[in-house]
Amino acid sequence: MREPVIAYVGIGANLGDAVATVRGAIERLGSLPQSHVMKASSLYRTAPHDAQGPDFVNAVAQLQTGLEADELLAHLQEIEQEAGRERPYRNAPRTLDLDLLLYAADRIDGAKLTVPHPRMRERAFVLVPLSEIAPQEVTAAQLAAVSGQRIEALPPA
Ligand code: A4P
Ligand code: MG
């Protein structure tokens, strides 16, 4: 078994009580085996990007985990299921979406898992919360490239 690693999870919701769903997801991440939430970003209200429906609520959590990347993905999908997710079509509005953004410095290119998440660098709803808790992972140029996307921090609970 490898030493625990740092992983970043992107959290998004845009159906129902999205703020409560995102907060609940951060708590659930902290209850995963061999895992701790080290940091969680603010919650952000964001414009749908390549998607329809109401605004999203997004956040990013930093985990320390002893789970392998594929095990962590399986747990993320379980948490999505618990949140009652339905998938009528790709990028449909969803109650909860969890993406594994980064897993240590690993590069993974498998059938079920690609890390770093292939679309994360195009998305303000990932880069802004990620830069809040892990500024070393995001460059100023990357942030500038997504500055046209609407995103607004929500006040703390
Ligand atoms: N998969 C591969 N790599 C990963 C990874 N790093 N993390 C596979 C998570 N999953 C990964 O995912 C489809 C498959 O991707 C999974 O079975 C897994 O094996 P999914 O969550 O079922 O499908 P999806 O989310 O509908 O599609 P996709 O392409 O993953 O969409 P994204 O990229 O998650 O984007 N706008 C705003 N403002 N905020 C959002 O949160 N989210 C999306 C969804 C679009 N627009 C948004 C937001
Ligand atoms: Mg997804």
Side-chain angles (χ1 to χ4, degrees):
M1 205 182 78
R2 72 193 278 176
E3 290 293 305
V5 303
I6 295 294
Y8 293 90
V9 176
I11 305 162
N14 76 335
L15 282 182
D17 187 344
V19 166
T21 302
V22 171
R23 290 216 171 96
I26 294 168
E27 286 219 347
R28 277 290 282 122
L29 289 171
S31 72
L32 292 180
Q34 305 169 56
S35 303
H36 301 278
V37 174
M38 310 298 286
K39 291 181 187 170
S41 75
S42 306
L43 271 52
Y44 292 82
R45 187 170 303 288
T46 66
H49 184 75
D50 294 336
Q52 281 100 46
D55 281 357
F56 281 75
V57 175
N58 286 105
V60 171
Q62 183 196 60
L63 293 190
Q64 185 184 59
T65 184
L67 296 170
E68 298 291 343
D70 59 334
E71 295 172 328
L72 178 55
L73 178 69
H75 282 288
L76 298 183
Q77 292 176 341
E78 203 176 285
I79 297 173
E80 288 180 342
Q81 296 299 331
E82 283 170 15
R85 178 164 178 193
E86 293 167 17
R87 296 176 188 170
Y89 53 90
R90 185 163 178 269
N91 283 358
R94 73 282 312 278
T95 45
L96 179 63
D97 185 34
L98 297 174
D99 286 330
L100 180 52
L101 303 173
L102 300 169
Y103 181 89
D106 289 13
R107 306 196 77 84
I108 304 168
D109 200 1
K112 290 189 184 161
L113 182 61
T114 307
V115 173
H117 190 283
R119 292 172 292 284
M120 63 180 275
R121 301 286 171 198
E122 303 154 18
R123 297 171 158 187
F125 68 80
V126 173
L127 295 181
V128 173
L130 180 61
S131 70
E132 179 191 341
I133 59 171
Q136 74 283 2
E137 300 290 353
V138 185
T139 66
Q142 287 169 341
L143 281 175
V146 300
S147 62
Q149 298 175 27
R150 179 166 55 81
I151 178 164
E152 167 201 9
L154 294 173

